[in-house]
Amino acid sequence: MAAPSTIALMKAYIMKTIQRATRILQTIRKNDSEGIRLSELSQNTDLHITTTRRILHALQKEHFVFYDKMNKTYHLGVELYFLGKTSHHSTLKIKFRPVLEEIVAQTGDGIVLMTRNDLDAICLDRVDGVYPVRAMQIESGSIRPLAIGPSSLALIAFGKQSEFDSIINTNKERILKFNKFLTIEKLYKTAKQAQIDGFVYFEGMFVNGQFFDDVIGISVPVFLKNKQVIASVLVSSVKSRMGKNRVIEIVNIIKKTFKEKLDW
């Protein structure tokens, strides 16, 4: 009996690697909210830890997976979001869209949904209101460094202080380059106040290379049952529409609507 050809062996190896990578991604997906450690991933997929690490490294390089250094856990990466976005199967977007529409119906203002991928914030969705403002032109799918703007800051302001410090330190150069009107001192001050208020408040917003000083943005974090922030929602409007009482009203509408509409 003739030995398998080199091409046949190569095809078999490629198929086996794809199957293993798929198994790893499926396992991460099932544990994505809290993340999964390397040892757990290896055990759950019945793969040797060296093999698991090698495949994870390749998936990270292509942004299919990202590694949370603080918690030492793996999560699904941004590239999978874009694949999901193309086919309209992004879980968060589908789950949150009715909630966003309800909030817009009650407030009249547009809303943006953001989530985190490693050191970046991604705009998952946007629903325009009847009072559109220039600062709302954050396109779905756009990416910015974590801590830029209220919605991006809300993704990290309510977690561990050590993780916040690490992100700001790592992203510092990108943050200051992205928004020349922002200072690290202001980020810390805003985050500290947000922990007291339960939402992030920004006067003036920097969008698409322009700074709008007549706009106020507020962002509310969306928590899982384990108190982990999975997303944030942003409402922004001109100062004349964002007095203190109205800001509190909008925040309460957002929190109440998410609590009523979501089952976690």
Side-chain angles (χ1 to χ4, degrees):
M1 184 174 180
S5 68
T6 302
I7 294 177
L9 289 173
M10 186 176 295
K11 285 182 178 179
Y13 173 77
I14 292 172
M15 180 63 70
K16 191 173 184 179
T17 301
I18 292 174
Q19 290 173 338
R20 287 173 168 177
T22 302
R23 201 187 314 167
I24 287 173
L25 289 172
Q26 289 172 336
T27 304
I28 294 175
R29 175 182 60 80
K30 293 175 183 177
N31 298 274
D32 195 46
S33 60
E34 296 183 1
I36 185 169
R37 289 174 176 259
L38 175 61
S39 58
E40 297 171 324
L41 194 52
S42 173
Q43 183 178 3
N44 290 352
T45 56
D46 293 322
L47 296 173
H48 191 277
I49 198 164
T50 302
T51 301
T52 307
R53 184 185 291 111
R54 174 173 54 80
I55 294 175
L56 282 170
H57 179 73
L59 292 171
Q60 280 182 265
K61 190 175 181 180
E62 300 302 324
H63 305 293
F64 284 103
V65 165
F66 87 86
Y67 180 61
D68 183 341
K69 294 180 181 178
M70 294 297 299
N71 296 309
K72 298 181 179 180
T73 53
Y74 289 90
H75 301 259
L76 296 181
V78 64
E79 192 60 34
L80 287 175
Y81 160 72
F82 286 122
L83 289 175
K85 178 176 179 293
T86 302
S87 59
H88 301 287
H89 292 303
S90 173
T91 304
L92 284 179
K93 181 174 180 178
I94 292 173
K95 193 174 186 69
F96 286 177
R97 182 73 184 201
V99 186
L100 302 182
E101 291 176 343
E102 175 63 27
I103 293 170
V104 170
Q106 291 189 51
T107 65
D109 294 298
I111 194 168
V112 167
L113 175 69
M114 302 286 283
T115 194
R116 176 184 172 184
N117 182 72
D118 199 8
L119 294 172
D120 293 316
I122 306 169
C123 177
L124 286 182
D125 202 3
R126 187 184 94 191
V127 180
D128 293 330
V130 294
Y131 300 100
V133 295
R134 293 168 297 175
M136 280 301 299
Q137 302 308 310
I138 301 177
E139 296 298 332
S140 180
S142 63
I143 301 175
R144 56 179 51 200
L146 280 176
I148 290 290
S151 54
S152 180
L153 187 60
L155 293 171
I156 60 174
F158 300 89
K160 298 177 181 178
Q161 186 62 47
S162 58
E163 183 179 15
F164 183 86
D165 294 340
S166 177
I167 291 170
I168 297 299
N169 184 58
T170 304
N171 263 2
K172 182 177 180 180
E173 186 175 337
R174 296 175 65 208
I175 291 169
L176 298 179
K177 183 178 180 180
F178 192 95
N179 184 352
K180 63 182 181 180
F181 298 96
L182 194 59
T183 66
I184 300 302
E185 181 183 2
K186 181 180 179 180
L187 284 178
Y188 271 91
K189 183 178 180 181
T190 304
K192 186 175 181 179
Q193 187 61 47
Q195 293 165 5
I196 297 172
D197 298 335
F199 64 94
V200 176
Y201 178 92
F202 254 69
E203 286 194 17
M205 291 187 63
F206 192 82
V207 180
N208 298 328
Q210 298 183 64
F211 183 75
F212 304 101
D213 59 3
D214 60 336
V215 171
I216 288 177
I218 56 174
S219 186
V220 178
V222 181
F223 293 95
L224 293 173
K225 286 183 178 179
N226 63 4
K227 304 302 181 182
Q228 177 187 356
V229 176
I230 191 175
S232 67
V233 290
L234 163 71
V235 173
S236 59
S237 190
V238 292
K239 288 183 178 180
S240 60
R241 282 184 53 78
M242 297 293 270
K244 182 178 180 180
N245 290 339
R246 176 157 174 75
V247 167
I248 297 302
E249 178 187 4
I250 292 174
V251 170
N252 288 337
I253 287 173
I254 292 172
K255 290 182 177 181
K256 181 181 178 182
T257 307
F258 266 94
K259 185 177 181 179
E260 292 176 347
K261 295 286 185 179
L262 296 184
D263 56 4
W264 61 45

